């Protein structure tokens, strides 16, 4: 790669005076752009040295690759006269350029609260769906499975008990997560959640009926009758209580010092919050919450299939804005009151939208002749069908525009179809082709047919339009210059650089790695702090931040080891390194360390990515079927092309 030429092409596409600030990480240029409408996106998409682009959090990121991005960055800085900056600097510049949006800030808070507890709700939801499959009549036969096979009754009852726990004790989960988000002690938040669902209180699901029947019990406090009402299945009251608790705790920490603070702050915070919970905050927010739930159910009932169709048409556009991050809060409320609501209309629509986006992306895969585009669309399309749409939407469909539009139309039609048959989910789960497991048993056939409609309606017009407009879009392959060194690519096994749990690279919560734009490989959720060399070779890339290493193995593989997501922002904090660029290393040699616990405490994802950046030189790059892996154990297998004469070119 000629770094000077790449920098020139990037500047020509973006505009030399259109860059406000620039930094880079291990794989990408990170730019703050003054006017994104002036970017020649097509020029960047057609550039063989640019592996992809995307915009996030006010930053325009251009994927170049390890070992090259720093040189391209240096050339870009020299040509523009910009001051060198760190990713943290860029983040600050991007944030400063944004106008404050109270609504978006509020939605971000909801997202921060609910995303951590979604796994618990999904686990409970899927178990609930499994129980429904076992106990539903007229699903497989006239009688339910447990009626035909009575021996399964105990299993179904046990599954139902486990499924009910996350929703029965939802205030405890929410209390922990919300209090932590508001800056308080999460364990005090969990304590308040326990108080709100004490068995001695009237169950929150029957409070209205108990009050109407005149059977509600009360505490008499200085002549004030306070209802002994629980808050099972409630969301808003818990959020309000968590905010008050965190605020009081911070107030007492500020005004009570030393040992008195440690002893009395928790007690004062709990007793005052508890009193406010049962006298004012709880009853008021319960009323608001019930009104919101009734309003959503009423909206669904009044708009019917038309409303579902419009929601489906707009869902993917909502994903672009990030507003969909708040849907778990609404969906949790609907599912917690499933006896009243019948279930959630959000999940079926989300599934149709994701299937549509995946189908449109796969249509491009079959229509394009570009190998670069095929590599991206194949993985992004499958990921979207399984519920992860960001690579498909941002990496393919939005850039080309027409696939996104056809997918949105398909989602609208399929969602309207679901509305006609009143398809609702009764549990949280993956909004994807396997989403039927979360649908009410009687509606599974209609859901499956809706998925087929969304796929077909998105795929066919996208494919036809793409074949007419893309033409011959084969990648332009540059011939190597005579001065390049040529070596044979050999079969090779790459070992794990850290100890932990191995998973697919596609599961990583970063669209560059999950879409395998940089190459194929494996990811490891680390359980130890040491990083070792995965093979014999030479260190080709190191960074001052110590968060990534590049290694060229003696057999020709080019390896990127990336420690955590966005950890470049830490500027080396929690990382140490034992090697420098140019050092020769042997498999198992200690490269450095990183403090996994500290990364988690700082809200950084510590997942380690091992990527073969010259994947194109191999017939196959495959993660070995291992789960728990020790550093130094075999992890990724590389297979040479069928023709032994095929060679890799090293510039």
């Amino acid at each position: 790669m000629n770094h000077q030429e790449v920098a020139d092409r990037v500047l020509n596409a973006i505009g030399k005076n259109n860059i406000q600030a620039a930094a880079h990480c291990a794989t990408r240029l990170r730019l703050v752009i003054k006017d994104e409408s002036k970017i020649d996106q097509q020029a960047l998409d057609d550039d063989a040295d640019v592996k992809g682009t995307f915009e996030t959090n006010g930053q325009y990121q251009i994927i170049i690759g390890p070992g090259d991005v720093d040189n391209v960055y240096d050339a870009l800085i020299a040509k523009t006269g910009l001051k060198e900056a760190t990713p943290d600097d860029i983040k600050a510049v991007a944030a400063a350029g944004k106008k404050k949006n109270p609504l978006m800030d509020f939605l971000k808070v909801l997202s921060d609260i609910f995303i951590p507890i979604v796994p618990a709700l999904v686990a409970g939801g899927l178990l609930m769906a499994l129980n429904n499959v076992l106990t539903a009549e007229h699903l497989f036969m006239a009688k339910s499975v447990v009626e035909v096979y009575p021996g399964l009754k105990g299993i179904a009852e046990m599954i139902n008990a486990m499924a009910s726990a996350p929703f029965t004790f939802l205030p405890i989960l929410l209390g922990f997560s919300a209090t932590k988000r508001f800056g308080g002690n999460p364990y005090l938040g969990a304590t308040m959640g326990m108080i709100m669902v004490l068995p001695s209180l009237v169950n929150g699901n029957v409070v209205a009926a108990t009050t109407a029947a005149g059977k509600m019990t009360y505490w008499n406090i200085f002549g004030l009758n306070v209802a002994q009402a629980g808050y099972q299945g409630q969301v808003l009251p818990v959020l309000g209580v968590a905010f008050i608790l965190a605020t009081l705790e911070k107030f007492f920490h500020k005004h009570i010092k030393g040992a008195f603070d440690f002893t009395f702050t928790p007690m004062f915070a709990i007793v005052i919050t508890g009193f406010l919970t049962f006298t004012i905050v709880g009853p008021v927010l319960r009323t608001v919450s019930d009104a919101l739930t009734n309003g959503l159910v009423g909206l669904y009932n009044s708009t019917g299939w038309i409303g579902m169709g419009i929601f489906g048409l707009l869902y993917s556009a909502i994903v672009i804005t990030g507003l969909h991050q708040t849907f778990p809060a609404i969906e949790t409320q609907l599912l917690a009151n499933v006896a009243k609501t019948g279930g959630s209309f959000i999940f079926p629509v989300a599934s149709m939208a994701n299937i549509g986006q995946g189908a449109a992306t796969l249509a491009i895969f079959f229509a394009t002749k570009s190998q670069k585009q095929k590599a991206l669309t194949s993985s992004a399309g499958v990921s979207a069908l399984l519920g992860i749409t960001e690579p498909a939407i941002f990496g393919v469909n939005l850039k080309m525009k027409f696939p996104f539009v056809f997918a949105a139309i398909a989602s609208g039609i399929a969602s309207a179809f679901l509305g006609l048959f009143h398809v609702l989910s009764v549990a949280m789960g993956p909004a994807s082709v396997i989403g039927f497991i979360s649908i009410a048993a009687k509606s599974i056939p209609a859901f499956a047919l809706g998925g087929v409609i969304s796929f077909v309606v998105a795929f066919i017009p996208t494919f036809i339009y793409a074949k007419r407009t893309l033409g011959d879009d084969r990648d332009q392959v540059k011939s190597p210059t005579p001065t390049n060194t040529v070596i044979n690519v050999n079969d090779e096994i790459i070992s794990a650089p850290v100890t932990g749990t191995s998973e697919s690279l596609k599961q990583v919560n970063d669209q560059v790695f999950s879409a395998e734009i940089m190459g194929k490989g494996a990811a490891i959720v680390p359980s130890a702090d040491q990083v070792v060399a995965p093979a014999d070779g030479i260190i080709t890339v190191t960074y001052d931040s110590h968060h990534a290493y590049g290694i060229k193995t003696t057999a020709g593989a080019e390896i990127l080891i990336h420690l955590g997501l966005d950890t470049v922002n830490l500027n080396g904090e929690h990382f140490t390194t034992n090697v420098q660029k140019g050092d020769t290393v042997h498999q198992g040699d200690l490269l450095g360390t990183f403090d996994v616990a500290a990364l988690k405490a700082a809200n950084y994802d510590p997942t380690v990515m091992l990527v073969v950046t010259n994947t194109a030189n191999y017939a196959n790059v495959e993660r070995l079927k291992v789960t728990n892996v020790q550093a130094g154990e075999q992890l990724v297998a590389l297979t040479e092309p069928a023709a032994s004469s095929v060679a890799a070119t090293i510039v």
Side-chain angles (χ1 to χ4, degrees):
M1 178 186 294
N2 188 314
H3 304 115
Q4 296 289 335
E5 291 182 2
V6 174
D8 284 332
R9 294 198 298 270
V10 168
L11 288 176
N12 288 336
I14 292 178
K16 185 174 181 179
N17 298 317
N18 196 28
I19 303 176
Q20 185 175 350
H24 75 91
C25 59
T27 58
R28 322 158 211 182
L29 295 173
R30 298 181 175 222
L31 311 176
V32 177
I33 305 298
K34 296 176 183 177
D35 186 354
E36 290 190 11
S37 65
K38 295 181 179 179
I39 296 175
D40 186 348
Q41 186 63 50
Q42 191 62 48
L44 293 172
D45 291 342
D46 293 340
D47 195 318
D49 291 317
V50 172
K51 297 177 175 63
T53 65
F54 62 97
E55 194 278 335
T56 180
N57 296 325
Q59 299 177 32
Y60 187 77
Q61 301 193 13
I62 303 176
I63 307 163
I64 303 295
D68 291 310
V69 66
D70 48 345
N71 294 319
V72 172
Y73 173 76
D74 290 341
L76 185 144
I77 290 296
K79 293 174 185 294
T80 58
L82 290 168
K83 181 181 177 182
E84 290 192 15
T86 67
D88 259 353
D89 296 332
I90 289 293
K91 191 174 181 180
V93 171
K98 290 182 178 179
K99 294 182 179 179
K100 284 289 184 180
N101 187 326
L103 176 60
M104 293 304 296
D105 289 344
F106 172 71
L107 297 180
K108 177 65 166 57
V109 169
L110 287 182
S111 173
D112 291 343
I113 291 171
F114 278 89
I115 286 179
I117 69 171
V118 163
L121 299 180
V122 169
L126 294 183
L127 287 171
M128 190 180 298
L130 177 58
N131 176 69
N132 291 339
V133 170
L134 293 174
T135 58
E137 297 178 346
H138 305 292
L139 180 58
F140 302 107
M141 57 200 93
K143 294 183 178 181
S144 68
V145 173
V146 294
E147 288 176 319
V148 176
Y149 304 101
L152 296 176
K153 184 178 180 181
I155 295 176
E157 290 175 348
M158 181 183 291
I159 289 174
N160 187 51
M162 291 186 287
S164 302
F167 296 96
T168 300
F169 300 106
L170 178 62
I172 299 175
L173 295 174
L174 275 177
F176 185 97
S177 183
T179 304
K180 181 178 180 180
R181 175 59 181 81
F182 293 135
N185 185 323
Y187 296 98
L188 290 181
T191 300
M192 275 308 309
M194 296 174 194
I195 292 171
M196 297 175 77
V197 292
L198 278 171
S200 59
L201 302 174
V202 175
N203 189 286
N205 296 312
V206 296
V207 164
T210 303
T211 302
K215 297 181 179 180
M216 176 60 69
T217 56
Y218 296 89
W219 291 298
N220 188 290
I221 302 176
F222 302 117
L224 177 67
N225 288 329
V226 179
Q228 298 180 21
Y231 288 87
Q232 288 85 350
Q234 291 291 324
V235 173
L236 286 183
V238 186
L239 298 182
V241 167
F243 178 77
I244 293 171
L245 176 66
T247 302
L248 285 171
E249 185 190 355
K250 287 184 284 188
F251 173 82
F252 288 125
H253 279 315
K254 183 177 179 180
H255 292 87
I256 301 177
K257 305 300 180 183
F260 291 99
D261 176 31
F262 179 81
T263 303
F264 292 107
T265 290
M267 182 192 73
F268 288 156
I270 287 290
V271 73
I272 295 174
T273 303
F275 184 80
L276 292 174
T277 296
F278 291 106
T279 56
I280 302 174
V281 179
V284 170
L285 290 183
R286 186 201 299 275
T287 302
V288 174
S289 179
D290 290 345
L292 176 62
T293 301
N294 293 334
L296 289 170
V297 174
L299 180 65
Y300 168 74
N301 290 334
S302 61
T303 59
W305 65 272
I306 296 177
M308 286 274 280
I310 294 174
F311 188 26
L313 180 68
L314 298 177
Y315 187 88
S316 292
I318 294 172
V319 169
I320 296 173
T321 68
L323 293 176
H324 69 298
Q325 299 285 6
T326 63
F327 289 162
I330 300 172
E331 199 165 14
T332 301
Q333 188 70 46
L334 292 173
L335 294 176
N337 293 279
V338 68
K340 180 193 300 183
T341 64
S344 168
F345 58 87
I346 296 176
F347 178 87
V349 170
S351 298
M352 297 303 103
N354 292 349
I355 291 171
Q357 293 295 333
T361 304
L362 290 177
I364 300 299
F365 169 79
F366 287 103
T368 185
K369 296 179 181 179
S370 165
Q371 293 304 310
K372 181 179 177 181
Q373 189 74 295
K374 280 184 178 293
L376 174 60
T377 52
S378 60
S379 59
V382 172
S383 295
L385 291 179
L386 295 176
I388 308 298
T389 57
E390 281 78 4
I393 291 178
F394 294 104
V396 181
N397 297 349
L398 271 180
K399 288 183 177 180
M400 303 181 76
K401 296 183 176 62
F402 67 90
F404 183 84
V405 173
F406 285 134
I409 293 172
S411 171
I413 294 172
S415 297
F417 173 82
L418 297 188
L420 283 172
F421 288 88
H422 304 290
V423 176
L424 299 173
S425 68
V426 293
M428 299 185 78
S432 62
V433 292
I434 60 173
F436 64 87
I437 57 181
S438 298
I439 300 298
K442 64 180 181 181
S443 298
I444 289 178
F447 177 86
L449 184 55
V452 172
I453 292 171
S454 183
F455 188 96
V456 171
V457 175
F459 184 93
I460 292 177
T462 302
F463 178 79
I464 293 173
Y465 190 85
K467 292 294 286 185
R468 291 180 178 178
T469 57
L470 292 181
D472 188 352
D473 60 344
R474 289 185 177 89
D475 300 318
Q476 298 297 315
V477 181
K478 297 180 180 179
S479 299
T481 62
T483 57
N484 292 341
T485 304
V486 178
I487 65 170
N488 290 326
V489 177
N490 301 310
D491 288 355
E492 187 174 1
I493 298 292
I494 306 299
S495 300
V498 297
T499 296
T501 304
S502 170
E503 62 181 29
S504 170
L505 204 57
K506 296 178 181 180
Q507 294 178 256
V508 174
N509 189 26
D510 183 293
Q511 58 187 338
V512 172
F513 292 110
S514 63
E516 298 182 335
I517 294 173
M518 295 304 309
K520 296 184 178 181
I524 301 174
V525 179
S527 59
D529 295 345
Q530 291 191 333
V531 186
V532 302
D536 295 347
I538 296 175
I539 301 295
T540 57
V541 178
T542 59
Y543 294 94
D544 292 339
S545 53
H546 309 323
H547 76 293
Y549 299 93
I551 300 176
K552 184 175 181 58
T553 71
T554 55
E558 297 173 7
I559 308 296
L560 170 67
I561 302 171
H562 198 288
L563 308 175
L565 299 180
D566 290 326
T567 46
V568 65
N569 296 329
L570 292 170
N571 297 318
E573 186 179 1
H574 309 311
F575 294 86
T576 66
T577 186
N578 291 3
V579 296
Q580 297 179 348
K581 182 177 180 180
D583 287 354
T584 298
V585 294
H586 300 285
Q587 181 181 339
D589 285 353
L590 182 65
L591 300 181
T593 64
F594 67 124
D595 192 331
V596 176
L599 294 186
K600 292 179 179 179
N603 292 321
Y604 282 88
D605 185 335
T607 301
V608 175
M609 284 67 66
L610 185 146
V611 182
V612 181
T613 57
N614 61 337
T615 290
N617 291 343
Y618 295 90
N620 190 37
V621 175
E622 181 181 8
R623 180 175 71 96
L624 300 178
K625 303 300 182 182
V626 293
T627 303
N628 297 319
V629 64
Q630 297 291 320
E633 288 185 347
Q634 296 182 347
L635 181 63
V636 175
L638 311 182
T639 307
E640 67 178 4
S644 60
S645 60
V646 175
T649 301
I650 302 175
V651 180

